[in-house]
Amino acid sequence: LMRMHPLHTPSWYHQYQHIYAPFLFALMTLAKVFQQDFEVATSKRLYHIDAQVRYGSIWNVMRFWSMKIITLMYMMGLPIYFHGVVKGVALFVIGHLACGELLATMFIVNHVIEGISYATTDLKGADDKKKVGRPSTLMGDTPMEKTREKAFESSATSKDKKDVPSVPFNDWAAVQCQTSVNWAPGSWFWNHFSGGLSHQIEHHLFPSICHTNYAYIHDVVEKTCEEYGVPYQSEPSLWVAYGKMINHLKYLGRGKIE
């Protein structure tokens, strides 16, 4: 229903996705609870990710089905018991719609937004030499080329001249920075409210660090990126990021239909 990547095949209705996307966001957790969870448990795959390590165990499969039944009983069964079918189901659905809208919003602005780069795979040239895949934006440019040049210029003009290490475009850490965006950086409130999603770059770079530390290390990460010529995109607020995300979806929706 949505085109969120340049490689996705565009359809006629995608030109309206910036209008209907916010409504689809609300369905995120409902889709997960009633569709994705079952698909992963039965197919043992989450998109391109192999989930065999979890659902290959009969114990984990049994635990999935038992916990699914228990959670549906207390999240939908109890409201129906105390308030009746109509009110009980309504409370369940409204709660999920609110949760889905909030979570989907705070997720999508981190990766589908103006200025973000999309990762590419390494290719072989005509001479069979490996060509390093450069993450690039929807417009086809590579922001890291500009940040790298800026780092070289800053080093050349500074008093204590330092050699700027040449970080590969496809370096794992560099790719995390090129394909992620922060919003409201340094804000302890938004960091806590979003569970660390507002500091998406730090979340990708340091997944094992508790998210409560992101607001305190983001300036160190930003300065390090500047020193090494790696992009570090951040938006001043969730509202600014949301607006740029909607504009990006609008532009993606205008893709050429073959």
Side-chain angles (χ1 to χ4, degrees):
L1 293 176
M2 291 182 60
R3 184 174 187 251
M4 297 190 291
H5 194 285
L7 295 182
H8 290 168
T9 304
S11 297
W12 65 268
Y13 50 82
H14 287 143
Q15 61 186 312
Y16 307 110
Q17 67 177 4
H18 62 289
I19 298 174
Y20 63 73
F23 298 98
L24 287 182
F25 293 167
L27 302 175
M28 174 186 171
T29 54
L30 281 172
K32 182 184 186 305
V33 170
F34 291 108
Q35 179 185 358
Q36 188 183 81
D37 286 352
F38 294 104
E39 289 179 349
V40 175
T42 54
S43 68
K44 297 179 176 55
R45 294 193 69 82
L46 176 59
Y47 305 120
H48 62 285
I49 303 172
D50 187 359
Q52 187 72 31
V53 66
R54 171 173 294 182
Y55 292 104
S57 166
I58 186 64
W59 165 249
N60 284 338
V61 173
M62 292 173 60
R63 187 174 66 170
F64 164 78
W65 288 107
S66 60
M67 291 306 298
K68 179 64 73 173
I69 293 172
I70 292 172
T71 53
L72 286 177
M73 284 179 61
Y74 81 78
M75 291 190 71
M76 188 159 60
L78 289 181
I80 289 176
Y81 177 79
F82 287 106
H83 302 286
V85 176
V86 176
K87 287 186 177 180
V89 173
L91 287 171
F92 178 82
V93 172
I94 291 173
H96 265 290
L97 291 177
C99 182
E101 186 69 37
L102 189 63
L103 279 176
T105 295
M106 290 191 293
F107 271 118
I108 194 170
V109 296
N110 297 320
H111 297 291
V112 183
I113 188 173
E114 292 178 347
I116 197 69
S117 294
Y118 294 90
T120 56
T121 56
D122 294 336
L123 301 173
K124 280 189 177 181
D127 53 358
D128 287 336
K129 288 185 177 180
K130 183 179 180 181
K131 296 179 67 176
V132 175
R134 298 188 177 190
S136 57
T137 67
L138 184 60
M139 305 304 293
D141 60 327
T142 303
M144 190 167 164
E145 292 179 342
K146 298 178 181 178
T147 54
R148 179 183 282 184
E149 289 178 6
K150 186 176 180 180
F152 283 133
E153 291 175 359
S154 298
S155 176
T157 56
S158 63
K159 293 181 180 179
D160 51 337
K161 295 183 179 181
K162 298 179 180 179
D163 292 330
V164 178
S166 182
V167 179
F169 289 96
N170 64 344
D171 175 80
W172 177 85
V175 170
Q176 307 313 306
C177 296
Q178 295 174 83
T179 58
S180 303
V181 173
N182 285 359
W183 47 272
S187 170
W188 64 268
F189 171 78
W190 285 111
N191 185 67
H192 179 73
F193 185 81
S194 68
L197 293 177
S198 61
H199 293 91
Q200 189 72 187
I201 295 175
E202 287 71 23
H203 168 67
H204 275 254
L205 291 175
F206 310 106
S208 60
I209 292 180
C210 179
H211 74 273
T212 56
N213 296 305
Y214 294 163
Y216 305 104
I217 67 172
H218 88 93
D219 55 339
V220 177
V221 176
E222 184 175 13
K223 290 178 181 177
T224 302
C225 286
E226 182 180 353
E227 179 183 351
Y228 284 78
V230 176
Y232 186 95
Q233 183 177 345
S234 62
E235 304 300 338
S237 68
L238 176 59
W239 325 118
V240 173
Y242 191 87
K244 290 188 175 183
M245 176 272 295
I246 292 295
N247 288 335
H248 194 61
L249 285 178
K250 185 176 181 180
Y251 196 90
L252 278 167
R254 292 175 177 173
K256 184 178 179 181
I257 302 175
E258 298 180 355

